[in-house]
Amino acid sequence: MATIVEFTIPAEEFALSRTLLELPEMVFQIDRVVAHDTDHLMPFVWASNGDFEGLTSVLEDDPTVTEVDHLMSLEDQRFYRMEWTDEAQLVGNMVIEQGGTVQQATAFDDRWHLRVFFPERNHISAAYEHAENNGLQFDVTRIYDMSNIQQARFGLTEEQFEVLRMAVEHGYFDIPRQIPQEQLAEKLNISHQAVSERLRRAIKGLAENAVCTEGGETSPTGNECKIS
């Protein structure tokens, strides 16, 4: 079964370790990765949440970076195209060899936090074995199968997702509202208080997901957000 895995890896075993050491407040998020050839991956990276003065020079001096191009500057972000050393590409190769797709890759606090889609669950074990064989600290934090894909995508529990789905289907968020919480509770066969709490937590989770995606990043546990 197709599976989504969230894991972390120390920056010193992947990429931008010196940059993160010199600029500890900075957050880096991979926008996309282009395969220059079968063995060469070229990431496009957003930088945020720190002092941009001298950032390009720091990146150029980072031993994991062989080439860096500053492509764009926004008020609170910088956009780069990079080329990384062979050692830094081990993680990317590990994912690609198992048919995986990186959905999210963010670096902060000396670690990379990745969310990867694998077409088969047994590919996770193969990726973990690849990491061990190359001396990488591959720490899995969460695993979702396709039956929980929406919860995984938005960081919701199964109960929160179900309440939210029913609320949308029955017009709870319509103007004017089509169903009160009491009737929603009856349809779900749970208490009015449970509906209220799950809705608040679901909406809070969606709001944090949107805010963090736009201006910061959630931790793999979903409990922290670094806002730029």
Side-chain angles (χ1 to χ4, degrees):
M1 178 179 289
T3 304
I4 290 176
V5 180
E6 293 181 357
F7 65 92
T8 70
I9 188 168
E12 64 183 12
E13 297 180 4
F14 186 16
L16 306 184
S17 54
R18 181 179 293 178
T19 300
L20 288 166
L21 180 64
E22 295 188 22
L23 302 172
E25 298 302 316
M26 194 67 70
V27 175
F28 295 94
Q29 182 169 5
I30 294 178
D31 181 270
R32 65 188 186 279
V33 176
V34 176
H36 185 67
D37 54 47
T38 56
D39 298 317
H40 194 172
L41 305 179
M42 189 165 54
F44 288 76
V45 182
W46 286 101
S48 61
N49 205 62
D51 184 1
F52 297 116
E53 184 176 356
L55 172 58
T56 301
S57 296
V58 173
L59 287 169
E60 290 174 340
D61 291 337
D62 194 304
T64 63
V65 179
T66 59
E67 185 176 331
V68 57
D69 293 323
H70 181 193
L71 302 180
M72 184 189 306
S73 293
L74 301 180
E75 182 179 355
D76 56 356
Q77 291 180 303
R78 299 291 185 272
F79 190 49
Y80 290 92
R81 179 182 64 84
M82 302 182 189
E83 292 186 18
W84 290 344
T85 61
D86 293 341
E87 291 78 9
Q89 298 201 46
L90 279 173
V91 174
N93 293 334
M94 173 188 72
V95 171
I96 290 173
E97 287 176 8
Q98 300 306 321
T101 300
V102 177
Q103 296 184 328
Q104 184 174 316
T106 306
F108 59 87
D109 293 340
D110 300 323
R111 297 190 73 84
W112 278 89
H113 307 260
L114 294 95
R115 175 182 290 178
V116 179
F117 170 87
F118 287 103
E120 297 292 340
R121 192 178 180 91
N122 63 343
H123 291 173
I124 302 172
S125 299
Y128 190 84
E129 182 178 352
H130 184 286
E132 284 194 325
N133 291 340
N134 287 278
L136 303 176
Q137 297 181 46
F138 183 93
D139 296 324
V140 175
T141 55
R142 302 178 79 173
I143 298 178
Y144 306 93
D145 60 36
M146 288 301 291
S147 64
N148 292 322
I149 188 65
Q150 293 299 330
Q151 295 95 296
R153 182 180 177 188
F154 297 110
L156 304 177
T157 66
E158 184 175 354
E159 292 80 7
Q160 291 167 3
F161 181 80
E162 181 63 16
V163 168
L164 203 60
R165 183 184 67 80
M166 290 287 287
V168 171
E169 287 184 1
H170 293 281
Y172 177 80
F173 297 110
D174 291 356
I175 301 175
R177 181 166 291 168
Q178 301 300 308
I179 186 174
Q181 279 193 11
E182 291 80 1
Q183 290 184 23
L184 194 59
E186 291 178 3
K187 290 182 177 294
L188 289 161
N189 197 28
I190 58 177
S191 69
H192 171 262
Q193 181 178 355
V195 168
S196 178
E197 290 179 355
R198 292 177 189 180
L199 275 175
R200 286 202 306 272
R201 289 172 180 167
I203 293 170
K204 180 175 182 289
L206 291 175
E208 288 179 343
N209 185 284
V211 169
C212 291
T213 298
E214 184 65 24
E217 198 52 57
T218 52
S219 70
T221 61
N223 295 325
E224 300 175 12
C225 176
K226 295 175 71 68
I227 301 296
S228 60

